[in-house]
Amino acid sequence: MKYRLKKFWKSVKLYFSLPHFWVVGIVLLLSVAVFMLSVLFKESNPFLSSVFANIFAGLITGLVISLISAIKTMSLYRTECLITWLNCLHEDILEYIEMHRKLMLFKNDDELKNEEALYNYIYDTLCKGENVNVTISQGRFKESLPFNPYEYFKKEFKYDAVTHSKENSALREKIMILEVRTITSKELRMLFENMDKQLFILNGEILKHITNLEARKKAINSSMM
C-alpha cells in the first residue's frame, strides 16, 4: 500500500509539473474567487453580482476546455515518453543481436582467435543481453518516467524482467566454468538459445508497439489542433 501511494504521488507531481495543469489551477482559482464575489454582491449590488456571475460562467467554460487540453497533454506526454524509452531499449537489443551474430561467427573473426578475448566477448554478450532486463526492472525507480517499465512490460508484453534475470543468472554460472578452448559455434548457439529467443521476440513486439504508439501520438496531435 505504501509503495502504491508513493507511486501515485510521484505521478501526480510529475503530471502537475506540466504547464497545462498550472493553467487549469489558475482558472479554477479565478472561478472560485469570481463565484464568491457574485454571491457577496447578490444582495447589495445585483448588477455587479450579475456581471460576476457572467464572468464565472465564462471561466467555467474555459476551465472545461483547459481541463480537456491538460488531459490530452498528459496523454501525449506519456505516449512520447513511452516511444522514446522503447526506442532506447530497442537500440540496446540491436546491440545484443549484433554481438550475438559476431559471436556465432567467432571462428572467422581475428579479434576472437585468442581464448581470453573470446571468453571476455562471451561474457560481454551475456551482460549486454542482461542489461535489457536490468533497464526494465530498474526503470520502476526512475522518478522522471510517467510509467512503471517493469509493470508495463508484464502487462503489455507478458515479459517479466525479474524472472528472466534469474534465468540469466543460471546462464552466467555456466559461462563462468566454460571451456572456450574447445567450444564450437553450435555449443554457443545452444548456450544463448533462450536469451536470444526471448530478446528477438521481445524486440519484434517492441517495434509493433512503437508503431501503435506513433499512431496514437498522431491521433492525439490531430485532436489538439
Side-chain angles (χ1 to χ4, degrees), residues 90-153:
H90 164 61
E91 292 297 327
D92 289 342
I93 296 176
L94 285 183
E95 288 181 17
Y96 163 79
I97 291 174
E98 178 58 28
M99 290 185 70
H100 180 270
R101 184 196 65 80
K102 181 177 179 178
L103 186 59
M104 295 304 104
L105 301 173
F106 76 93
K107 290 187 178 298
N108 300 323
D109 195 313
D110 292 337
E111 295 180 7
L112 302 181
K113 295 290 186 182
N114 180 274
E115 290 182 16
E116 183 179 356
L118 176 59
Y119 180 83
N120 289 337
Y121 195 82
I122 293 172
Y123 193 82
D124 288 345
T125 303
L126 165 70
C127 291
K128 177 59 68 174
E130 173 55 18
N131 279 344
V132 173
N133 294 316
V134 172
T135 299
I136 295 171
S137 60
Q138 293 299 314
R140 55 188 152 172
F141 303 115
K142 286 194 174 182
E143 298 289 331
S144 59
L145 292 176
F147 63 97
N148 183 323
Y150 175 66
E151 295 297 336
Y152 190 84
F153 267 68

Side-chain angles (χ1 to χ4, degrees), residues 1-12:
M1 178 62 72
K2 185 178 179 181
Y3 170 75
R4 289 184 178 180
L5 287 174
K6 185 177 180 181
K7 176 185 173 184
F8 173 76
W9 180 241
K10 183 189 79 170
S11 298
V12 169

Side-chain angles (χ1 to χ4, degrees), residues 12 40 69 98 110 164 216 218:
V12 169
L40 181 65
S69 178
E98 178 58 28
D110 292 337
H164 290 306
R216 182 195 301 176
K218 186 176 180 180

Side-chain angles (χ1 to χ4, degrees), residues 10-22 24-25 74:
K10 183 189 79 170
S11 298
V12 169
K13 289 194 295 182
L14 184 62
Y15 285 126
F16 272 81
S17 66
L18 300 175
H20 285 72
F21 280 97
W22 283 97
V24 171
M74 181 177 68

Side-chain angles (χ1 to χ4, degrees), residues 163-178:
T163 298
H164 290 306
S165 284
K166 291 177 181 178
E167 294 172 356
N168 290 341
S169 294
L171 174 58
R172 180 179 177 275
E173 294 300 319
K174 292 179 181 179
I175 290 176
M176 292 292 291
I177 58 174
L178 194 65

